[in-house]
Every structure is written in C-alpha cells, then in structure tokens.
Amino acid sequence: MSFNVSAKQKRKTKFKPVYTTHYSRVNPHNKTVFAAVMLKSKTFVKKTRSGGVMKIVREHYLRDDIWCGSEVCSECKQESTVLQRDACIESNLCPFPHYLVPDTNVVLHQIDVLEDPVIRNVIILQTVMQEVRHRSAPVYKRLKDLIHDKEKHFYTFTNEHHRETFIEREPGESANDRNDRAIRVAAKWYSQHLKTPEAEAEGLRVVLITNDQGNKAKAEESGLLVYRCEEYIKSLIANPELVDRLALSNNEQNEISSSKVLFPEHLPLSRIQAGIKSGTFLQGTFRASRDNYLEATVFVQGEGEDSTEIILQGLQNLNRAVHQDVVAVQLLPRDQWVAPSSVVLQDDGVPKDDETNEEEDGRRKRICVEEHMKPTGKVVGIIKRNWRPFCGMLNVSQIKESTRHLFTPADRRIPRIRIETRQASTLAGQRIMVAIDGWPKHSRYPNGHFVRSLGSAGDKETETEVLLLEHDVPHQAFSQAVLSFLPKMPWTITPEDMVKREDLRQLTVCSVDPPGCTDIDDALHCRELDNGNFEVGVHIADVSHFIRPGNALDKEAANRGTTVYLCGRRIDMVPELLSSNLCSLRSNVERMAFSCIWEMNHNAEILKTRFTKSVINSKASLTYAEAQMRIDDTSMNDDITKSLRGLNKLAKILKRRRIENGALTLSSLEVRFHIDSETHDPIDLQTKELMETNSMVEEFMLLANISVAQKIYDEFSECALLRKHPAPPPSNYDILIKAAKSKGLEIHTDSAKALADSLDVAKVDGFSYFNTLLRILATRCMMQAVYFCSGMDSDFHHYGLASSIYTHFTSPIRRYSDIIVHRLLAVAIGADSTYPDLMDKHKQSALCNNLNYRHKMAQYAQRASVAFHTQLFFKNRGILNEEGFILFVRKNAIIVLIPKFGLEGTVFFDGKGKTGVNLRFDEEVPSLTVEQHTFHMFDKVNVTISLDDSNIQHQKIRMALLEPVIPGVSVPAPEVEPQPKKPKLDR
C-alpha cells in the first residue's frame, strides 16, 4: 500500500503510513513455522517522482524458529538437517570436525575453492547471500547451485531474522562494518549454540574464514576460531592441489609483478563517469583482434542505430583491457590516428617476460599506419570486467622447481595468464580452466588461478567440452526440476485434446529433412481442391502444448535459446523425450501440430490463409534425396509423390517471385563429414549438395514465417516477436565492388534488388565458379539477422528476403523464439490464454537479446566443431595438393578457399624461413605482388594442405603455394601416396 501527498495537499493532510513488513525469506531447510516476534518499527519520509511525499513505516520481524541445520543439535526442532555430524576434512590446523562460515569476500573471490568436492559442511549466512546477490549475479547463481547440491552440505542460515543474531547498525558504523559484525555475531552464536554435550563429545567447532585483517582481529578478540582462506586451504594436507584454485589478493598480485610500471594507471570510476558526461571519454565494449594481439576496437553505441568503432593499437593503448570488457577510451589527436592493420600477426607461442620492451610491438604497429585513418584512442579505465573462466593450456616454465607458469587461452583474443601451481608436470598436455584475478600495472600479463582440468588435449570429448565452454553453450544434463514437467509415459492424445483441435490425420502429410534427423519440426501437404485450386499446409510441432509458460522446463529452454548442432553431437534445447519423440513429427504416429493452411491458385497466389491447432499423422519421413527421387521418378504416382510434385511446382513459382522482388540468393559452403562407425573419426569430407527439394521446403517455411509474422503483428503490434535483417552500411560492400571491378564487372548495391540483379549477370567467360565466389563474398558483407520486439523498433525490414515483415515459426523444437511466436499466434486465434510476460514489450526485448546471443554463440560453436573435425580429417593424410581460389589478399598473405573441402586457409609470404621476400600491397585494387607475380582476388592457385600439430592447443591447417611457381616462395609438389582403403561409413 502506498500513500502519496501532493505539494498542495501537504498542509491539509495527515500522513497515512505505508507499512512495509520484512519477514524472513522462507529458508528451504526449515519446515516448521511458529509465531514471530516484532522487534521495532523504523519510520522515514520519502519523496516521490511526482513531487508528493510518502511516509514509510518499516517493521522488521524476528523469529525464534530458525534452526541451525546441524545433525548434532537436539535443541532445534528441525525435521531434516544439512550439516553433518562427522564434518571432517583432513587439516593440520583443524584436526577436529568443523563447520566453515565464510564471509562475503571469501565467497565472491574464492567460489572456485568452495565448489571443490572436498569443501563441505559450510554455513552460508543470509548477510553473505544478500551481499553476494547485489555484487555478482554469476557468483550468486553458483552459490545457489552449491546450496542445492545435497552432496556439498551447504546450509543457509537466516541470521538477519533470527532473534539472537540480528544486529542493528550503530551510529557512525559503515554498512560494510555492520555486515562484518553481523557475520561475527552469527558465527559466535553457532559456536555457543553447538556447545552441547553431544557436540562437545564429537569435538565439533565452528571456523570463520575471512581475508579481512580487521575482521579477523575482532573475531579473535571475541574468542572465535578464525583463519585466512589461504592458511586454511594450505592446511588441507590430503588435498594440496586445492591451493592452486585460490584467487590471488591484490597484495599477492603485486608481489609477483616486476617493479617496472608497464601500463598507465586506470582512472577511478568517479573520474571516468565525469569524463563520459563531459564528452572527454567514450564508453564502449572492448573487442580484441583474433589476428593481431596488438590491436583491438572499442564499439561505442550511439543514438538509435548509430555506433562508432575506435581503433586501439599497441600494449600501452590497450592498457590491460580484456576482450568484452566495458571500457572508457580517450580519442588520440587526429595526427595519431591509424588505419586497421592488414598484417596477420602470427603468435609465435613464445612467452614474453614482464621486462619485454615494446620495440618489436612498435615495429609491428608502425607497419599498420596508412592513408585510411580511423578514429584511434587509448583505454583510460575499466568500467566493467567481463571475465569468465577461460579454457586453454599451461606453458610450463623452463625454470626448474618454479611454481609460476604462463597459461595460454584457447581463445586468441585473451592474453596469457600467469598462475601459480604445484601440479605443472601433471597439467602439461591437459586442457585446463583458469580464472583471472587481476592485472596490475607492473605486470605484462594478468594474474589468475587454476580452476579445474578438462582432460587430455586433442581428445575428442575434451575438445568438444572446450568449445562448448568457450562459446558459453549450456550443455549440462537437464535437472530433475526440468524433467519433472515432462509428460508421464506412456503418452497419448486424449479425447479432450481432440475437442480443441482440427483432425487432419486423413491428410497426406510428409516430412522432408536431412538424413539422420530425429527432431522433425515440420511437415507438409498439398492436395487439389474441387474448385481446381491447391490446398497447401505447413504443419509445425506443437511444442508450446508441452512447455507451459514460467515453469522450470520453459525457463531452461529460454536460457538455452537454441539447439546446437556439432559434428556427431546435438545439444538439445528441450529434453529428448520431446525433441526426438513426443514433439517430433515422425511418420505413422499421431502428433499434435500447429498448422498454417493456404488456398492457392496455380500461380501460387494466396487466396485464403488460416491457422489452427491440429492433430496429424505423417505418412512418410523422407530425406531430401528420397523426396527428390520420388519427384523425378515418373513411374511413381502415389498420393505422397503427387503431394511432393504439387509442392515443388508451387515452390519454384514462389522462389522466382521472391527473387523478382529483390530477395538475395547468396552462397556459403557447408561441409558434411562421413564418420567411421567404430572410431567415430571423420574419414571423408564433402561439401553439401543442395537439391530442388531443399529449396521446396525452404520456400514454404519462408511463406509460413511471413504469414504468421503478419498475423501476430496485426493482433499484437507492441509485443510481436519478429526477425529483421538490417541493410549493410555501404562501406561493407567496398571489398565486393573492388573484387568485381578487378574482373571488369560492376556491382550495384543501392538496394537488395540492385545487388541481386548485379550478381545474376556477373559472369566471366571460362570461369564458371566465379559467380559462386562472388556470392560467397557478398554473404560476408551482410549484417547479422536479429530477433526484436515490434514495440521497441520501427524498422522491420528483412533485407536478404526482401520482406517487409518476418519471424520464426517453423522450428520450435530447436528455437525458443518459435515457441514464443506459437504462444502469440495461439492467443491471436483463441487457442490458448495469454500471460503477463508475453504482453510485456520490455521483457520480450530482453528475451530477444538473450536469443540473439545464444544463436550467435551456437553458430561459432558449430564452426569450431567443423574446424576441429577438419583437423582430424587431415591428421593422417600427410600433405595434399589441391586447387583453390583467392578469397582475400592481405599485406603479407593470401586467404585461399578450397571448394572441394569447403575449407579456407592462409598462405603466408613472410615469417619463419621466408626472409627478404619482396611484397607490395595495393589496397585499392586490391592486390598483393610477391616478387614479380601479382595476386588478385578470385585468382586460381594450387596449394599444399597439411595439418600443423606442432602447437597441440592451436593446431591449424597450413597451406603453402605450389602454383604459380615463384622462386624462393613456392614449395615443391608433394609425393602422392597411395590412398588407404576406406573404412565402413556410419551414415
């Protein structure tokens, strides 16, 4: 209840108090509830935004029914306990059973230690929980997971609402000091509460863990048993490896740095905020370069769609920022602006010392300066660190007995991290995880600590785990809470379900998918009506029937956002019972669907559209090849084949019309691995061939998505979840225009239709693959398509499809966006009820942000999986000789595409073993002259391909030039070895 008083009424009105009652949050470990005792009330006056006044009376209730959670306690009337009687960890400081009480900073900074299986029987105070929640959402989530893990015996004690442990803040006492005192009081209460004969007999003690010297001294004065986190962990004689997981304090970090200042001091946050307000500094996201460790950009978001990129070059200007940090940058004077580097700066893998000067770095930097200057700046402060645990490998120190080593992250955008470990010999050759603790200005590298080992480098399971962790793909097993919302088996469609749905089981519905597909989202039908028109239906799995809003299953699917397809492995968005069974539109079983049904004439013009919840029975689950074979085989005239031929005929008309309206036909090479059925290693690698049936299915999925988008926007103009594809800025096309011009062709990019028409006529005599290369390059110029909420944006246009509106409706088993669209459509046709979050445009927008992030990460993870399996494929094949085409030219390299394998690689003309090679780069053409030969984009070359596994962490495909032959640059042709007999395939 609130009571506001306007300025005019203040003199006439007596204040009515607003009562805000503070109860304890129900402790999950306490089942019994008794009467509470009110301590006292606090009163204060608050001014409202409208200028009124609100009087607030806050009542804080204390309870005497909050139990201690210990097995040894007979005083508390608790139904169940969490803290064990035999709470023993082998420690030379605490050789007796004991419970740990960590303070807030120990939880925040040493969560990796607390997560270790050795650490059990820990009391987490409400004071600590609240502080952690306010200061770090990721640590708070990890702490909650520990509390819910029954094996860990972590107990939450609601000390702020216990009559004997609540304390009030004293006059002049800071909030931090008050919380420290609350922790000491609660620890003291536990010590005294557990002084029962039974506990005394067990020798049970309570140990406070704090790294705050002042807090430790006061705890000792009050008779508490208290240790610093480090001294307690070092006392665990049976688990010495746990010391490696300790995060370093600031003092410890300074101790292991050199005395020489290597970086400028970061400005305090108050200075940064004032500078941003005055326009002296700019705030943006730091994006490190994959190709050049001395270069980064800062992405500064402007008004609306506007944004700026600022270049940073050199270690001093990067100033200890790490990829994805939010930083404050200061622009350099215009005469110090530089151009983005065209040099691919290879990391030679040799660790540098802190004392390394920047002479080499400066030499590299000077190469980059060109005519095309861009805004250039330097990092002056860090606004928000976005550090996470990083996967990688240890570079074991050459110094004997050294415990300090450098860790090299798998992600080249992350700097090396210095850690202390006594397990170096064990961890060598292992993939490990490391967390950053800090980056002092005296240190060339950040300092961190070991988190855990992932397994042997190169092992398929380990490498898959690494790429999932590095791309933040949620891949843990579904929890019992999630699985509890699945339907009970055996499951059938009930008569009650049939009443609410249209019975379409008699229709000749079939699905067409890639081979091996078990999560079948969509099925189709086509039949001729009595009036001579066609009825065409797209039937989509009704996942929203099984996943209801707000439950644990729904929240998990929303967090995952998408199914992730790796080579030989699928990480499902929803549990397998749904993805491969109850939702999957398999043949010859009844399944619930959401159907979009059109009446069309023979020119594929839509005459009527309707949407309905339905029940279908698919008559066939076909692959693209099987469907194509039916269409082409004139001897086949069954109902399924007739339906497919009708669909194919209409799809061709729809596609032609889309292209006439300006839709783009772009190109990107997708590869398919043939996997050995026993070893699961890739034994063949081919680019995927697309058939007419691929296009047929795509056309009707596009049409359904557009029809549904229009319907949900008409019904819910403020909260429709849509998908748009922004037009690229003109500068994106520079490389495409230059590449075409080098072949005497002109590309028009003022509209999607102009680009499509230009690409259609761009041909070179005797070079049939040229148009495909041009379309591959055009694809690289495109922006990313994104989800958005209609009430938060005005530009709905999908550039690539030339459609004024678009959404995703057709894949709800593997995309959460489609589940939301199903819910909106169901409400629009009266088939389901709405709920608040569905109509909240701000919550929809936040959901879209997560979906866009998850989709982007899934794409990157899929590419990384293809890259890893490509390396496995080339591992035992020696050196191959293949034909390729130049996609890009750089200052010191050409990037070559091998169409046969859908593989890209870089041929370097400088670096190790290549001294004195004469290189001339012309950015305008663009071209690279190596000695007397000039390379242009799309030139045909012959290269050798081999796997370089000298760096086990960063294995890479190496390419070297065979033809054209350039003396001193080209390599001799490899000897052709007989091909081994192919093992059997697992298709």
Side-chain angles (χ1 to χ4, degrees):
M1 154 184 163
S2 66
F3 179 74
N4 292 347
V5 188
S6 70
K8 207 173 188 179
Q9 292 173 312
K10 282 180 192 173
R11 294 184 299 275
K12 302 179 184 177
T13 312
K14 288 185 179 179
F15 288 115
K16 291 184 182 177
V18 179
Y19 286 94
T20 61
T21 307
H22 274 208
Y23 298 100
S24 66
R25 287 190 169 189
V26 177
N27 188 322
H29 307 119
N30 294 328
K31 307 292 183 189
T32 317
V33 178
F34 292 98
V37 181
M38 190 180 89
L39 173 70
K40 58 182 286 188
S41 60
K42 295 179 183 177
T43 305
F44 58 94
V45 176
K46 185 179 176 185
K47 190 174 180 181
T48 65
R49 284 184 183 178
S50 59
V53 173
M54 184 187 292
K55 183 176 181 180
I56 295 175
V57 180
R58 183 164 287 173
E59 297 172 341
H60 192 95
Y61 280 81
L62 300 181
R63 312 170 70 105
D64 52 12
D65 59 348
I66 297 170
W67 314 134
C68 71
S70 173
E71 277 183 353
V72 301
C73 177
S74 55
E75 186 180 327
C76 292
K77 300 177 179 62
Q78 47 209 0
E79 290 178 10
S80 61
T81 55
V82 174
L83 301 168
Q84 296 170 295
R85 179 187 306 278
D86 181 23
C88 287
I89 303 178
E90 207 173 334
S91 162
N92 54 25
L93 277 179
C94 307
F96 37 77
H98 56 277
Y99 300 152
L100 299 177
V101 181
D103 73 1
T104 306
N105 282 320
V106 168
V107 173
L108 281 169
H109 301 300
Q110 307 295 350
I111 189 73
D112 290 322
V113 170
L114 294 176
E115 284 176 334
D116 193 279
V118 172
I119 305 297
R120 291 172 310 185
N121 294 293
V122 177
I123 299 162
I124 301 294
L125 301 176
Q126 181 189 5
T127 308
V128 172
M129 283 284 283
Q130 288 172 344
E131 279 199 284
V132 169
R133 187 182 184 191
H134 289 134
R135 289 170 60 181
S136 175
V139 173
Y140 180 68
K141 183 183 181 304
R142 290 167 73 181
L143 183 59
K144 281 176 67 179
D145 289 344
L146 286 175
I147 291 163
H148 291 139
D149 183 351
K150 291 181 180 175
E151 299 291 315
K152 292 286 287 174
H153 300 280
F154 273 51
Y155 181 73
T156 49
F157 180 66
T158 318
N159 65 304
E160 295 289 355
H161 288 272
H162 193 289
R163 191 169 54 178
E164 294 178 36
T165 57
F166 170 75
I167 61 163
E168 291 196 76
R169 189 167 158 188
E170 293 175 349
E173 187 177 39
S174 71
N176 191 53
D177 287 345
R178 181 262 168 210
N179 288 343
D180 282 348
R181 187 161 59 89
I183 292 166
R184 293 195 300 273
V185 166
K188 185 78 173 173
W189 178 85
Y190 256 102
S191 295
Q192 292 170 342
H193 179 76
L194 293 177
K195 275 188 178 174
T196 61
E198 195 175 351
E200 293 275 319
E202 300 282 348
L204 184 68
R205 304 283 299 274
V206 174
V207 179
L208 176 62
I209 304 293
T210 180
N211 287 330
D212 184 311
Q213 289 291 76
N215 194 22
K216 184 172 183 286
K218 288 175 183 173
E220 285 168 339
E221 282 172 22
S222 64
L224 281 169
L225 185 60
V226 56
Y227 295 112
R228 286 187 301 110
C229 187
E230 184 184 0
E231 61 183 332
Y232 175 77
I233 296 301
K234 284 182 175 176
S235 79
L236 304 181
I237 43 185
N239 302 91
E241 74 285 350
L242 204 50
V243 175
D244 292 351
R245 300 183 74 171
L246 284 168
L248 296 174
S249 67
N250 288 335
N251 290 339
E252 290 168 321
Q253 288 184 48
N254 289 331
E255 282 171 21
I256 64 171
S257 305
S258 74
S259 57
K260 182 181 174 185
V261 175
L262 300 175
F263 295 99
E265 189 87 60
H266 286 150
L267 297 179
L269 205 52
S270 56
R271 285 268 311 274
I272 291 171
Q273 287 167 340
I276 291 170
K277 196 172 181 181
S278 68
T280 310
F281 305 144
L282 296 169
Q283 175 177 325
T285 305
F286 182 89
R287 293 177 178 171
S289 167
R290 286 182 192 276
D291 298 323
N292 188 339
Y293 73 97
L294 295 172
E295 184 168 284
T297 54
V298 172
F299 182 81
V300 180
Q301 185 65 53
E303 294 292 322
E305 297 282 315
D306 294 338
S307 59
T308 310
E309 279 200 336
I310 296 166
I311 297 174
L312 312 175
Q313 285 187 352
L315 289 175
Q316 293 274 315
N317 291 338
L318 300 181
N319 196 8
R320 296 172 286 154
V322 176
H323 183 63
Q324 293 294 357
D325 283 350
V326 179
V327 298
V329 292
Q330 183 175 23
L331 283 177
L332 297 175
R334 194 173 275 269
D335 63 352
Q336 293 180 35
W337 286 13
V338 298
S341 171
S342 293
V343 171
V344 180
L345 189 51
Q346 291 176 280
D347 188 351
D348 57 12
V350 179
K352 294 191 176 94
D353 297 323
D354 284 346
E355 301 299 327
T356 302
N357 62 39
E358 286 199 61
E359 190 176 319
E360 171 67 7
D361 301 344
R363 187 183 69 77
R364 289 285 191 186
K365 191 170 70 174
R366 285 193 291 277
I367 295 172
C368 308
V369 181
E370 289 197 357
E371 310 143 6
H372 304 283
M373 305 301 180
K374 293 207 171 178
T376 307
K378 62 180 181 180
V379 171
V380 294
I382 308 294
I383 295 167
K384 185 189 175 192
R385 289 290 194 188
N386 274 323
W387 295 342
R388 58 177 174 83
F390 300 104
C391 302
M393 293 184 72
L394 202 64
N395 288 78
V396 179
S397 172
Q398 300 302 308
I399 303 168
K400 202 176 178 184
E401 306 296 322
S402 175
T403 58
R404 290 177 188 166
H405 309 272
L406 278 178
F407 162 84
T408 303
D411 187 341
R412 291 185 177 277
R413 296 168 299 186
I414 306 300
R416 288 193 180 90
I417 302 163
R418 181 180 280 106
I419 69 167
E420 285 210 37
T421 176
R422 291 147 191 81
Q423 306 175 68
S425 56
T426 310
L427 297 178
Q430 298 267 310
R431 289 283 203 170
I432 64 172
M433 288 184 81
V434 162
I436 298 179
D437 298 325
W439 196 341
K441 62 186 176 183
H442 304 91
S443 176
R444 169 71 171 80
Y445 300 108
N447 296 319
H449 64 273
F450 168 75
V451 176
R452 64 187 173 103
S453 175
L454 301 169
S456 298
D459 174 75
K460 277 202 289 289
E461 290 297 316
T462 303
E463 295 303 327
T464 301
E465 178 73 5
V466 167
L467 74 86
L468 289 170
L469 288 166
E470 281 295 291
H471 295 100
D472 196 17
V473 174
H475 59 287
Q476 67 280 10
F478 290 100
S479 69
Q480 279 307 121
V482 169
L483 298 175
S484 69
F485 286 96
L486 293 174
K488 301 294 178 280
M489 297 300 286
W491 174 87
T492 54
I493 296 173
T494 64
E496 292 79 16
D497 293 326
M498 293 300 299
V499 170
K500 302 169 191 169
R501 293 173 179 271
E502 194 169 335
D503 188 349
L504 303 179
R505 290 175 292 184
Q506 80 287 357
L507 292 178
T508 307
V509 171
C510 68
S511 61
V512 185
D513 290 284
C517 178
T518 60
D519 52 343
I520 303 171
D521 286 289
D522 54 88
L524 300 150
H525 89 272
C526 176
R527 64 176 178 170
E528 195 161 354
L529 299 172
D530 294 340
N531 61 10
N533 291 329
F534 288 110
E535 178 187 86
V536 177
V538 167
H539 311 277
I540 305 301
D542 189 5
V543 182
S544 64
H545 171 82
F546 296 95
I547 300 181
R548 303 308 295 164
N551 67 23
L553 177 56
D554 182 47
K555 287 176 180 174
E556 181 67 22
N559 178 48
R560 293 187 179 217
T562 180
T563 292
V564 181
Y565 295 90
L566 306 179
C567 301
R569 183 176 172 188
R570 187 180 82 203
I571 292 52
D572 281 324
M573 181 183 80
V574 297
E576 193 175 15
L577 178 64
L578 296 183
S579 65
S580 295
N581 188 351
L582 303 186
C583 291
S584 184
L585 304 182
R586 303 188 300 185
S587 54
N588 303 312
V589 289
E590 292 179 1
R591 287 291 178 258
M592 293 181 172
F594 209 153
S595 301
C596 173
I597 300 170
W598 304 279
E599 184 178 329
M600 291 181 175
N601 61 23
H602 283 254
N603 198 31
E605 291 166 333
I606 297 171
L607 307 175
K608 291 179 189 170
T609 306
R610 68 189 181 91
F611 307 99
T612 181
K613 293 261 187 166
S614 62
V615 176
I616 65 166
N617 189 324
S618 172
K619 304 301 183 278
S621 299
L622 305 173
T623 65
Y624 290 115
E626 289 167 345
Q628 191 68 53
M629 186 184 69
R630 280 176 174 265
I631 291 168
D632 295 340
D633 187 345
T634 53
S635 68
M636 295 188 76
N637 281 298
D638 58 280
D639 288 345
I640 293 170
T641 304
K642 286 178 184 174
S643 176
L644 288 168
R645 286 184 185 136
L647 289 165
N648 198 40
K649 175 190 166 189
L650 293 169
K652 288 178 179 178
I653 300 169
L654 289 169
K655 184 171 184 177
R656 187 175 68 243
R657 191 179 301 143
R658 269 197 320 110
I659 290 169
E660 284 169 1
N661 290 336
L664 294 171
T665 306
L666 300 175
S667 184
S668 61
L669 296 179
E670 287 189 68
V671 296
R672 185 178 172 215
F673 293 95
H674 294 292
I675 305 293
D676 185 285
S677 58
E678 291 172 6
T679 67
H680 301 291
D681 285 339
I683 53 176
D684 199 8
L685 172 60
Q686 298 169 337
T687 51
K688 291 182 184 175
E689 286 184 37
L690 297 180
M691 303 177 187
E692 270 187 7
T693 45
N694 290 82
S695 180
M696 175 189 80
V697 173
E698 182 185 15
E699 287 305 317
F700 286 108
M701 296 306 111
L702 293 175
L703 191 62
N705 287 336
I706 291 167
S707 297
V708 171
Q710 194 60 59
K711 177 68 176 177
I712 62 174
Y713 178 63
D714 289 344
E715 293 288 334
F716 308 110
S717 61
E718 286 292 296
C719 58
L721 192 154
L722 302 175
R723 188 163 175 84
K724 69 173 181 176
H725 182 214
S731 60
N732 277 31
Y733 288 123
D734 287 352
I735 191 71
L736 179 69
I737 292 166
K738 286 176 183 177
K741 190 178 176 183
S742 71
K743 300 295 180 189
L745 298 168
E746 196 171 354
I747 297 288
H748 298 283
T749 59
D750 36 328
S751 70
K753 179 153 178 56
L755 175 60
D757 291 345
S758 297
L759 290 171
D760 285 343
V761 299
K763 293 181 172 62
V764 173
D765 291 340
F767 189 0
S768 59
Y769 200 65
F770 172 76
N771 191 261
T772 304
L773 286 169
L774 209 59
R775 290 181 191 275
I776 290 170
L777 194 57
T779 306
R780 309 287 175 92
C781 300
M782 294 297 127
M783 304 290 283
Q784 187 77 35
V786 290
Y787 297 110
F788 70 101
C789 176
S790 58
M792 304 290 281
D793 210 325
S794 56
D795 176 20
F796 294 8
H797 189 71
H798 197 293
Y799 180 81
L801 298 173
S803 177
S804 59
I805 194 165
Y806 192 66
T807 194
H808 273 163
F809 164 75
T810 54
S811 296
I813 294 177
R814 61 186 177 89
R815 291 190 305 234
Y816 188 77
S817 54
D818 304 48
I819 293 177
I820 295 293
V821 169
H822 277 226
R823 289 173 181 169
L824 288 164
L825 183 61
V827 175
I829 65 169
D832 205 344
S833 54
T834 186
Y835 57 99
D837 283 7
L838 192 65
M839 299 294 139
D840 186 327
K841 65 181 182 181
H842 297 286
K843 288 192 175 169
Q844 287 281 48
S845 188
L847 174 65
C848 287
N849 290 339
N850 181 57
L851 295 180
N852 290 330
Y853 171 71
R854 291 295 187 203
H855 276 262
K856 184 173 68 174
M857 289 295 109
Q859 282 183 328
Y860 291 162
Q862 283 155 214
R863 287 178 203 164
S865 180
V866 169
F868 174 63
H869 280 76
T870 303
Q871 290 168 7
L872 288 179
F873 173 74
F874 282 105
K875 191 170 187 178
N876 300 315
R877 279 170 174 73
I879 301 174
L880 301 183
N881 174 4
E882 295 295 341
E883 182 183 87
F885 298 95
I886 298 175
L887 264 189
F888 301 101
V889 292
R890 297 285 186 254
K891 281 187 173 181
N892 60 337
I894 54 174
I895 293 163
V896 177
L897 173 72
I898 312 295
K900 179 178 174 181
F901 298 130
L903 176 68
E904 274 179 50
T906 307
V907 176
F908 289 98
F909 296 116
D910 67 356
K912 291 178 182 174
K914 295 176 183 173
T915 54
V917 178
N918 188 15
L919 304 177
R920 290 189 308 283
F921 177 66
D922 185 341
E923 192 172 17
E924 283 307 308
V925 176
S927 69
L928 176 66
T929 302
V930 181
E931 298 299 338
Q932 302 304 312
H933 185 89
T934 301
F935 292 101
H936 296 91
M937 291 173 69
F938 305 154
D939 283 358
K940 187 186 289 188
V941 292
N942 270 42
V943 295
T944 62
I945 308 172
S946 59
L947 178 68
D948 177 2
D949 56 5
S950 57
N951 181 334
I952 192 166
Q953 167 155 259
H954 291 129
Q955 296 187 33
K956 58 182 81 172
I957 301 296
R958 290 277 185 202
M959 290 189 186
L961 186 69
L962 268 176
E963 295 175 353
V965 175
I966 303 173
V969 175
S970 304
V971 295
E975 291 181 19
V976 180
E977 295 181 12
Q979 288 293 308
K981 184 180 175 184
K982 286 193 176 181
K984 54 192 171 185
L985 299 181
D986 177 12
R987 295 181 189 273

